[in-house]
Structures are given as structure tokens and as C-alpha cells.
Amino acid sequence: MEVKPKASRHLFLIRHGQYVVGPTDEERFLTPLGREQAKLTGQRLKELGFDYNLVLRSTMTRATETAMIIQDVLGETKTKSCDLIREGAPIKPEPPVSHWKPEVYQFYQDGARIEAAFRKYFHRADATQEYDTYEVIVCHANVIRYCVCRALQLPPEAWLRISLHNGSITWLEIKPSGNVVLRGLGDVGHMPRNKMSTS
Amino acid sequence: MEVKPKASRHLFLIRHGQYVVGPTDEERFLTPLGREQAKLTGQRLKELGFDYNLVLRSTMTRATETAMIIQDVLGETKTKSCDLIREGAPIKPEPPVSHWKPEVYQFYQDGARIEAAFRKYFHRADATQEYDTYEVIVCHANVIRYCVCRALQLPPEAWLRISLHNGSITWLEIKPSGNVVLRGLGDVGHMPRNKMSTS
């Protein structure tokens, strides 16, 4: 007997808040503005009113901090940390940009890891899933942009044609058919203009 | 002497508010919620604080109404109406969807018109343009989705993988180089959950 999926998976991809540019990951923590952005984003997620099943977060400091602030607002939620969704260089961007030129080995190393993250987290619901699920994934601009291109089956090298504000919300729905719908990308309408930043 | 463009064009693509499903365009006017959405979107555009150079609007009733409400909030702005950005069937969507199947002649007629709109409005700044410009384009979900794919040089038949809320703001920047940056798509963070709708 064939069993078909019947529920949707909703993924809310959140870019971390603004952070201090330090030499190591531990020293790259959120600025006061970054903490405020995380709080505003948590409040928006709460206001959207979904029953969030999971907050998945990158193990990098700025993502962990952002996720913890969001969880403070949402109340008790299941949490998971994951190294696969740490920031990196997913694939050489097309067109190339002059201000960002990682070494080839970075694409080689990060690319497979971020693709592994995509395959792990971006899939339709299991056939046993009865109701729609709502997951929050707190991670990084490059990871989100690459995964959105992949999920929509667009050329992934287009990822750098997208810019994401700190604390922005990208809402993807994966339907039972496997079709993917992008319901919003880089949404920051919940932040006043003077709280918006991209770096 | 070669003269190079030096300013960016920012396009804010707005989907009209919710409307009454009537038999003719004139009878498809905004619902009370649709008018409220338009007002919230106008307030958000105002709060973003840009000096808007133009409000371009589709000649369809729901877009005209939405634009007029936005202009009421923004104060005096230059206005233009255009038939090219009326709603239509831009190109056969891939993957196909079961709930929307226009006749082939519709794609044939609307496709060229919407492509003409794209070529008319989506281009880099003229070399004589000294400062960045900010234009608001109030039109329709299909037109916006198709033009976003085209502007990002993505396969245009992917347009139906995107869903846009009524009154949502899609922010595209066209750089002097001709490179395009999508700074947000379908943003409705300025609307409380109970004011959000897609049809």
C-alpha cells in the first residue's frame, strides 16, 4: 500500500541579528541592535500565531544568541543545534562580486556541508505526519539564500542576487506533493526603518 | 566619451489589496480589508523614509484604488497609469498547478505584454541620473512574480513557486552595473496576522 504525505512543512528561515566583527566566532556576538532585532523577530513569529514545533539553530555564536532571544519570546519550544547550517561559501556566485572573493578551498569545503544541510532539512513531510508543522531555523544569510534557490529548483549560483536584512524572516512551505512555495523572503516589515541593517 | 551610470534604481513592487470577486474589472474593487491593507502598506513605505519619485499603477480597478490610498499616505507624488502591468498569464508555470489553467491564447496574448512591461520598467539608471531613485509600482501578483524572475535572470517559468500576500512589498534594486539585488520579496511584516490575505 502506497502511503502519501498529506501535511505541509512550513520553514521560517531567520537571519541572525547584527553582530560585532571580531577575530573568532566567540567574539562575534550580537550588538545591542542585533539583540533588539532578534526580539522583534521573535515577537513577529509569536504574532503570526503558529504552534512552532522546533527551533533549529546554527552553532555559531550570533545564531545561537538570536535563537535564544527568539525562544525567550516564543516560550518553551523544542530546540536543536546543528553545525551543518553554520555560515560559509556555498557555491561560487554568478555574477561574481568584487567585495567577496573566498578561496576555492572554502567553496569546496563549505559547499558540500551546506548542500548536506539542505538535503537534511528541506524535504516534504513524512507520510505519518498528520498536521502541518512550523519550524524556525536560525542561521545565516548565505545558507538561507543557497537553500532557497535549491528548494525552488533555481540555479543555486544565483544566491548572491538576494540580500537579507538581519533578523529577516523567509517563509517556505513544502507541500505534500513536494512542491515548494516561497511565501516571503527577507521580510523585515516588523522592524522600524532605524532598526534595519544588513551587516 | 563613454558615460557610465552611477546611481541605483529602487523598485518597490506592491500587490494590490484584497478585492471583491466580480464579473468585470470595475466590479472587482477593494474590500474594506483590502483598503486597510493598502493603508498599512502606504504607512510602511512612508516609514521607510525614501523620497519616492513615482507611483506607477496598473489601470485595473483594484490596483488603481490601492495606489490612490498609498498616495494619500505618501502625500503628493508623481503618478502614472499603465496598461502593460495589468494582470495576466505571463508564461506557463513549471511545475503546472491544478487550480489554475488558463487557455493557451491567454499566455500568448498576456505573455508578450507583460514581457514588454518588464523591458520598459526594469533597467538600470540612465547615465545622467545623479542620485538613487525610488519608484513604487502597484500592480498584480503574476506581473510581480514574473518580473522578479526576469530581473534576477532566473527561469521565468518558476514564477508560480512564489506566493504574494495582498499589499506585500517586494524591493528590487538595480545597480549602476546592471546587477540586480532582491532586498525583500512579499514583505508583509507591517501587517498584523489578522490583516494578512492572499486572495
Side-chain angles (χ1 to χ4, degrees), chain A residues 102-156:
Chain A
E103 302 295 326
V104 171
Y105 81 88
Q106 289 178 271
F107 290 111
Y108 187 75
Q109 292 183 356
D110 300 345
R113 168 179 60 76
I114 296 171
E115 174 64 23
F118 172 73
R119 295 187 193 183
K120 180 163 183 171
Y121 296 114
F122 292 72
H123 54 78
R124 72 184 84 181
D126 191 87
T128 60
Q129 185 179 311
E130 295 288 337
Y131 303 103
D132 287 6
T133 50
Y134 301 86
E135 294 170 34
V136 177
I137 304 182
V138 183
C139 58
H140 305 273
N142 298 359
V143 176
I144 295 170
R145 296 183 283 191
Y146 175 80
C147 288
V148 165
C149 288
R150 289 284 287 117
L152 295 176
Q153 297 191 316
L154 298 172

Side-chain angles (χ1 to χ4, degrees), chain A residues 44 152 161 182 187 191, chain B residues 44 152 161 182 187 191:
Chain A
R44 175 61 176 170
L152 295 176
R161 300 172 204 173
L182 183 63
D187 198 324
M191 285 186 200
Chain B
R44 175 59 176 172
L152 295 175
R161 300 172 204 171
L182 183 63
D187 196 327
M191 284 185 202

